[in-house]
Amino acid sequence: MPGKKAAIGQFASVNHMRRALLGTGAAALAAGLASPTFAGQAAPAGLAAAWRKALRIGVAISNETLDGQVARDLDLIAREFNSVTAENAMKWGVIRPDGVNWQWQRADRLVEFAARHDMYVLGHTLVWHSQIPRTVFNDQDGKPLTRAALLGRMEEHIATLVGRYRGRVHAWDVVNEAVDEDKGWRHSPWHDIIGDDFMEQAFRFARKADPAARLLYNDYNTHNPAKVAFLVDVFRGYRERGVPIDGVGLQSHIGLDYPDFDEFERSIAAFEALGLEVHITELDVDVLPNPNEKGAEVSNRFEYSRENDPWPNGLPDEVQKQLADRYEQFFRMLLRHRTSVKRVTFWGLHDGVSWKNGFPIRGRTNYPLLFDRNMRPKPAYERVMQLARAAL
Ligand code: XIL
């Protein structure tokens, strides 16, 4: 096994060697899967292999994994997933921390790792109001940019980032979270300076930078009928006017008892009816008490209380089972929409690194993913695997 800080390149070859020795891995054998399909590489085992006939299974890679080139994380990712998203590394404020100068190392590592493993790569995200320095929206005197100047900045950002990874990043979350629940366009500097067309401009710039990449709009609470109705209207207009959008990303930061899956499924059907691809982009299932009625609105924070952090030392079996049930129901729903749903991406590799331990309340112990804090598969993992075996 590679050392903890093995370079990604080193890791990949050792991993390949290990796979070659072990065949396609116990999970793949148990699933009755055939031999490798990727040229010169072993097929992924685990989740990605089990679901291969229906959709891709992705994971968000953290900055910590990329910075440390943590072999243990990358090994699990290569075994279980066939798609990756940078959890933070490609956001404006992370890849251009001072607003202007580029820090490519993390994103480069992610793209190289993915290429070595034939993974489908998501670029997240080009135009968002969060995790972006305020200076992006101001001129040298600190005054708000004009519409023309901000459009220029947007185009330069998209052309440079999408252009660098042309052909290697397969789909982009072009615009993230542009809609404010029941009220239409969200007020953000992007919207307020440029106007309602800021989003379509972003899609046009992205298409120009990589004509082959799939271009997505990504948002949370996409089960909310008012939000969906607004978006469906916007996208119908895009279709009519030739604005280059290919699909919609449903973040899917869900809980044990929200949202209502019938409502969620109606949203999938509504986007599907427009001929859009549907991607589940940031799946996790929060098991803790939820004070946040606004879903994944990242500016919402609440005070810590012991009452809101009921299971610091482990999840009770009963809740573990509820989590497995919930995941099974979710994947069953996706199976009903196999033609339009292309991918499911989990927002984090294991419970220990999930953003849900810190959001919307800091310092809690949450259990939203399929791997536990020791990176072992949970009952929910087994359930998702069983469903694939039974249904595909
Ligand atoms: C989150 C990351 O997981 C955190 O590490 C970061 O501190 C804040 O952002 N919607 C999105 C994601 O589109 O980019 C957010 O990711 C979660 C909500």
Side-chain angles (χ1 to χ4, degrees):
M1 286 296 287
K4 190 164 179 276
K5 294 229 166 177
I8 288 182
Q10 222 177 325
F11 148 77
S13 57
V14 173
N15 189 41
H16 283 155
M17 205 189 325
R18 186 179 58 82
R19 275 210 209 125
L21 291 170
L22 295 178
T24 51
L29 289 177
L33 285 157
S35 50
T37 53
F38 295 131
Q41 290 197 6
L47 290 167
W51 282 89
R52 185 163 44 198
K53 287 189 201 143
L55 36 79
R56 287 187 177 266
I57 307 279
V59 67
I61 306 191
S62 71
N63 281 351
E64 291 70 23
T65 298
L66 294 168
D67 287 344
Q69 305 192 64
V70 184
R72 203 165 100 97
D73 298 354
L74 294 168
D75 198 6
L76 183 60
I77 292 168
R79 195 182 76 216
E80 296 286 342
F81 301 95
N82 55 10
S83 175
V84 285
T85 308
E87 184 175 356
N88 288 294
M90 291 187 186
K91 293 171 181 173
W92 195 313
V94 179
I95 203 163
R96 306 177 87 173
D98 64 0
V100 180
N101 294 296
W102 297 88
Q103 310 254 314
W104 293 112
Q105 191 181 50
R106 289 190 188 110
D108 281 356
R109 281 181 181 172
L110 180 138
V111 170
E112 281 158 24
F113 168 76
R116 213 169 279 127
H117 293 278
D118 267 328
M119 290 176 167
Y120 188 83
V121 185
L122 268 295
H124 177 76
T125 175
L126 299 171
V127 174
W128 191 23
H129 58 275
S130 188
Q131 290 182 272
I132 182 167
R134 291 298 107 181
T135 50
V136 170
F137 303 108
N138 295 334
D139 65 16
Q140 281 170 333
D141 305 324
K143 300 219 179 70
L145 290 182
T146 62
R147 166 182 159 92
L150 186 56
L151 276 173
R153 235 169 237 190
M154 182 198 268
E155 178 163 24
E156 178 267 340
H157 185 76
I158 292 176
T160 309
L161 182 46
V162 175
R164 181 180 183 91
Y165 298 122
R166 187 177 165 135
R168 292 187 293 159
V169 167
H170 307 98
W172 285 94
D173 293 333
V174 178
V175 175
N176 202 30
E177 305 178 351
V179 175
D180 191 3
E181 296 313 301
D182 306 338
K183 301 191 209 87
W185 295 111
R186 173 200 289 271
H187 285 288
S188 75
W190 290 116
H191 174 268
D192 294 351
I193 295 173
I194 296 174
D196 286 357
D197 67 333
F198 83 99
M199 178 142 121
E200 64 183 83
Q201 300 282 0
F203 277 95
R204 292 189 199 277
F205 294 148
R207 182 64 98 225
K208 203 156 97 184
D210 184 353
R214 311 301 282 166
L215 305 182
L216 314 178
Y217 171 74
N218 192 49
D219 212 335
Y220 62 85
N221 276 359
T222 40
H223 56 278
N224 174 353
K227 201 166 183 175
V228 175
F230 179 80
L231 284 169
V232 162
D233 234 39
V234 169
F235 297 153
R236 189 176 295 122
Y238 285 8
R239 284 291 199 228
E240 284 161 13
R241 290 184 292 111
V243 178
I245 183 170
D246 299 304
V248 50
L250 314 183
Q251 290 185 7
S252 312
H253 296 294
I254 63 177
L256 287 178
D257 55 8
Y258 65 89
D260 178 86
F261 279 169
D262 291 337
E263 204 163 64
F264 196 104
E265 190 163 359
R266 280 195 289 276
S267 302
I268 294 180
F271 293 123
E272 201 172 66
L274 291 175
L276 293 169
E277 291 180 4
V278 176
H279 294 239
I280 305 299
T281 53
E282 306 182 11
L283 179 60
D284 45 30
V285 180
D286 194 330
V287 302
L288 299 181
N290 169 41
N292 188 0
E293 283 169 10
K294 286 191 82 186
E297 169 55 55
V298 285
S299 59
N300 285 351
R301 297 263 169 196
F302 300 85
E303 287 298 309
Y304 179 90
S305 72
R306 188 60 181 71
E307 207 170 74
N308 280 325
D309 188 23
W311 302 302
N313 302 314
L315 197 61
D317 288 349
E318 174 50 30
V319 190
Q320 198 75 261
K321 186 181 167 300
Q322 286 174 36
L323 183 68
D325 291 344
R326 189 73 172 154
Y327 265 113
E328 180 180 339
Q329 291 310 318
F330 190 81
F331 275 83
R332 277 190 189 282
M333 170 174 69
L334 300 184
L335 273 174
R336 293 194 286 274
H337 297 270
R338 277 173 72 171
T339 48
S340 60
V341 178
K342 303 294 180 195
R343 163 182 64 105
V344 179
T345 292
F346 291 87
W347 206 242
L349 183 54
H350 63 86
D351 288 345
V353 296
S354 166
W355 77 305
K356 282 279 161 182
N357 295 301
F359 178 87
I361 298 175
R362 282 186 224 278
R364 298 195 298 176
T365 304
N366 213 330
Y367 303 85
L369 297 167
L370 297 190
F371 293 93
D372 70 16
R373 287 172 162 70
N374 297 311
M375 296 169 76
R376 281 195 295 260
K378 294 155 64 175
Y381 172 99
E382 301 303 338
R383 201 77 79 73
V384 170
M385 287 295 273
Q386 276 164 19
L387 176 61
R389 285 180 204 130
L392 299 174

